[in-house]
Amino acid sequence: MKRSILITGGAGFIGSHVVRLFVTKYPDYHIINLDKLTYAGNLANLKDIEDAPNYTFVRADICDFDTVCSLFEQYAIDGVIHLAAESHVDRSIKDPFTFARTNVLGTLSLLQAAKHHWNGNWQGKRFYHISTDEVYGALQFDGSLFHETTKYDPHSPYSASKASSDHFVRAFHDTYGMPALVTNCSNNYGPYQFPEKLIPLFINNIRHGKPLPVYGKGENVRDWLYVVDHARAIDTIFHNGKDGETYNIGGFNEWKNIDIVKVLIKTVDRLLGNAPGTSDHLITYVTDRPGHDLRYAIDSTKLKTELGWEPSLQFEEGIEKTVRWYLDHHEWMDNITSGEYEKYYDDMYKNR
């Protein structure tokens, strides 16, 4: 194989799209997918490539330093694309320790293993860390954008843990010379997203006639990016980005949460054959969560100018594809919401 690349969190939402892209686009790369298979990891996301000759799945914890080191040795890993993370803000508010362990110590475990294995031989090596726009804090409704030089100002345990992991990656580059880079991305949407997130949760709730809980008045604004476009950006940056750099990845696509909900209702009702407005009554306003940032918006000009990447889909097209996918794959969704997938993997791996 030409290269041996470790992708962490590859059974998750964004990770599965990245694994699929690399396995299919680069048959001369050996792709090692390392995932702990927590609640958000699901190998059904990769059913179509699970038997590919250049693909290996390993169930392990990135915080298990000895295991991570052994993987570097066993597979002669020369590239890391690090996506494994706890990523849900509400969960971080309830359990910040888990977020600190996985997002901070897990990243440090990978960095230290890479440093130990590569041992100063940096030629042809790369450590690529995927982060979030939430590390920058919040924007006002004044047209401002997050840039690569925006000061970090995290407001939740989740974003604080990601900010810390970003700093560790940059510190390893500056201290040891490790060829590393960081990207900060806006909200992703698309197939295989765990249904605790807004878009798949609300598609499923509309399908079943369940309430659509909207925080506050739904005025919070997010920039949305179709997940396949994010995977394309990761591919471009991994191969052509500059060591030590930060690249922001965004969709140039800002929407208020309440407007997203209304688009989802309209689209799902239409595709289900419901009369317009059938599910409008499901909108339920609930108490806003602590530290809920007003607005995120990414400026991806640097990525477009230097590496030629830009989103391929407008939001209306992307949301149509997304809603159709979830409605056509309701068995995948039902398996997730029932919890059956977790029991299946626990039974599969308990004797290994």
Side-chain angles (χ1 to χ4, degrees), residues 126-129 148-149 169-170 173-174 178-184 237 240-248 302 306-307:
R126 169 149 286 175
F127 191 105
Y128 178 0
H129 175 65
E148 285 81 2
T149 57
V169 174
R170 296 190 179 102
H173 173 267
D174 295 346
M178 179 180 289
L181 50 77
V182 175
T183 56
N184 300 87
I237 294 165
N240 302 309
K242 297 179 181 178
D243 292 332
E245 291 290 328
T246 298
Y247 298 92
N248 280 348
K302 176 179 176 180
E306 294 187 8
L307 301 182

Side-chain angles (χ1 to χ4, degrees), residues 105-329:
L105 295 181
T107 300
L108 182 57
S109 172
L110 289 163
L111 286 165
Q112 188 71 359
K115 181 175 76 72
H116 174 76
H117 179 70
W118 295 338
N119 194 29
N121 178 19
W122 307 126
Q123 186 66 35
K125 310 299 194 303
R126 169 149 286 175
F127 191 105
Y128 178 0
H129 175 65
I130 285 82
S131 189
T132 172
D133 57 359
E134 296 191 39
V135 298
Y136 296 124
L139 293 168
Q140 298 299 317
F141 298 105
D142 56 4
S144 58
L145 299 172
F146 292 137
H147 301 274
E148 285 81 2
T149 57
T150 298
K151 180 182 177 182
Y152 273 30
D153 187 23
H155 292 159
S156 71
Y158 162 60
S159 56
S161 68
K162 290 297 292 184
S164 178
S165 65
D166 295 0
H167 290 319
F168 267 109
V169 174
R170 296 190 179 102
F172 268 64
H173 173 267
D174 295 346
T175 302
Y176 307 111
M178 179 180 289
L181 50 77
V182 175
T183 56
N184 300 87
C185 190
S186 58
N187 281 27
N188 281 215
Y189 70 97
Y192 299 112
Q193 188 169 27
F194 191 80
E196 68 183 354
K197 302 290 188 174
L198 188 150
I199 288 178
L201 172 66
F202 280 28
I203 292 172
N204 198 45
N205 282 11
I206 296 167
R207 174 182 159 226
H208 290 289
K210 295 181 178 180
L212 307 177
V214 178
Y215 282 126
K217 297 180 180 180
E219 297 292 317
N220 303 74
V221 172
R222 298 294 182 261
D223 176 33
W224 292 90
L225 178 67
Y226 191 59
V227 66
V228 174
D229 281 334
H230 188 188
R232 288 177 44 248
I234 289 171
D235 177 23
T236 298
I237 294 165
F238 180 79
H239 289 98
N240 302 309
K242 297 179 181 178
D243 292 332
E245 291 290 328
T246 298
Y247 298 92
N248 280 348
I249 309 173
F252 295 103
N253 181 41
E254 293 183 53
W255 286 74
K256 289 183 180 180
N257 285 348
I258 189 61
D259 292 335
I260 290 280
V261 174
K262 291 177 180 178
V263 169
L264 290 172
I265 289 173
K266 182 179 178 180
T267 306
V268 175
D269 275 345
R270 172 170 54 81
L271 294 178
L272 289 178
N274 297 333
T278 296
S279 301
D280 289 350
H281 72 283
L282 297 175
I283 296 176
T284 305
Y285 294 97
V286 299
T287 302
D288 208 353
R289 71 185 178 200
H292 196 183
D293 293 329
L294 287 175
R295 173 175 169 259
Y296 304 141
I298 283 276
D299 184 351
S300 298
T301 301
K302 176 179 176 180
L303 179 56
K304 180 178 180 180
T305 301
E306 294 187 8
L307 301 182
W309 174 92
E310 59 183 342
S312 67
L313 292 181
Q314 296 297 319
F315 183 75
E316 290 79 0
E317 182 183 358
I319 205 67
E320 179 85 11
K321 289 169 67 74
T322 298
V323 172
R324 284 185 181 277
W325 188 89
Y326 283 105
L327 294 181
D328 289 343
H329 294 80

